[in-house]
Amino acid sequence: MGAKQENGDPENILPPIEQELSHELDTKVKKYLRGEGANLEVLKDKKLKGQLSVREDLYGISAKAAAKAEKWLMPSKGGYLEAEGIEKTWRIKQDAINREVDISSAKNQYDIVLPDFGPYTLDFTSSGRYMAAAGRKGHLAVVDMKNMSLIKEMQVRETVRDIVFLHNELFFAAAQKKYPYIYNRDGVELHCLKEHGAVTRLQFLKNHFLLVSINKFGQLRYQDVTMGEMISNFRTGLGRTDVMLANPFNGVVALGHSGGTVSMWKPTSAVPLVKMLCHPGPITALAFHPNGNLMATSGKEKKIKIWDLRKFEVLQVIPGHAKTLDFSQKGLLAAGTGSYVQILGDFSGSRIYSRYMGHSIVKGYQIGKVAFRPYEDVLGIGHSMGWSSILIPGSGEPNFDTWLANPFETSKQRREKEIHSLLDKLPPETIMLDPSKIGTLKSAKKKDKPTKKEKEAEMEAVVEAAKGTAIRKKTKGKNKPSKIAVKKKKIVERAKRPFLEKQMEEENVTKKKQKISEEISLPTALQRFARKKATA
């Protein structure tokens, strides 16, 4: 049993099951390695060679740790529909999917018909366990999606335009006829936010604890729900809008306007960070990819555009109209209009979206909102006659992180998470287009550089300090007044030297810039006639 082969491969000593596991881990390690390792044998510098070898070892250790975490801590695997032969995935119906899935997944496929209170809008918590539904005619409901039980429903008896969960499922905000209201899970009214006015859309930034609203007069407001303080109040000047969404990557809020423009805002700026013309007509819907780099917009001219937010350019134009858009955790795009929902997917990794699935609800129902349920392959559809839920394989993240979102958290874990999230709350100043700039050094601007008078005053102060330096007395004959004057003169010159050298460098730089600008200003054929300065 304990015999060891002298010339055998170490893998052959392992039992067959462990050999299979080691091969599987090796393939996973290759996925997490940063390309091919550097060839360190050609280096002659021993110090550099040692530093790089330590760095390569760290890369290997981290890749092995990631591979083991994927093997043992993330057992679930995501997958998409696969068609055979000439079969197309978008022709597969929900009935066919329902016959093939397990009982727990089949429960996620249902239709709730409430024709007296629609159209409905939906919102899910970050864990995907709870859903809030709001009917236009005043019906509010909170549903536990794990066991499909109704937690609370009520009738506010006035128009409800939007609904959004706050930091957890215990609180939600509803945009009603005159003002937005905040309720707890038991349906008790906690706050009436009269400063916001008649709100059309609501968004909540959970990392900053900011409730964002846009009213029918085009006023954008940010309110801190922890202290109740109004952070900012801006008049957009672009009219009423019914399209608002927050970028999950950086917290920037995007508004879609009737002129075809999309403006992006942060609470510390009274002017938009970005104002881009996306469509020739009104914007009907927009959505952000979870990575924050892609944005999908839809216009009245019946075109859906995919934008790269790093370069603000169009990647793809898809024909078709969409009243509502939403990206899933795995990057699928749902577009709903009329009584039809189309799901698009990027399966090649080239950010080119193609048809993946489609679903038609009852003819005559008008879709108002589509929302993917986090950590589940489920799409929620709010329409004029209630809401529906369909199965979209591959849309949700198969493995959840309990530190971020736990669908099975207890009340004690929820309290602890709430405290930690309050301690980790980000200030409004951290909202920016590129949050990776936080912690970097700010480049010096021209206004921050000292002026000529400030430089002269600084040099005079240094010269005065140098003149006042005490000179040590020496033996007789070496302490003459003439020698003391020479020494003081040398001290003053030594103090002036750094200022003079810096001044000479700046003059040389300006001379070079002037010379380059003179050469560029003349055409190539006339540069030989440029005036040349006489050399001494």
Side-chain angles (χ1 to χ4, degrees), residues 437-490:
K437 290 183 179 179
I438 298 174
T440 58
L441 293 175
K442 186 179 179 181
S443 58
K445 296 181 180 178
K446 291 183 178 180
K447 294 181 180 178
D448 299 335
K449 293 180 180 178
T451 59
K452 188 176 181 181
K453 290 184 179 180
E454 291 176 350
K455 291 178 182 178
E456 291 177 355
E458 188 180 357
M459 188 172 69
E460 288 177 2
V462 172
V463 169
E464 291 296 329
K467 287 181 180 179
T469 54
I471 297 174
R472 190 177 62 178
K473 293 184 179 181
K474 295 186 177 181
T475 56
K476 188 177 180 181
K478 295 183 179 180
N479 203 20
K480 293 180 181 180
S482 58
K483 290 189 176 182
I484 291 174
V486 171
K487 287 178 182 177
K488 284 187 176 182
K489 188 177 180 182
K490 287 182 179 179

Side-chain angles (χ1 to χ4, degrees), residues 260-272:
T261 59
V262 171
S263 58
M264 300 183 185
W265 300 79
K266 68 175 183 177
T268 55
S269 175
V271 294

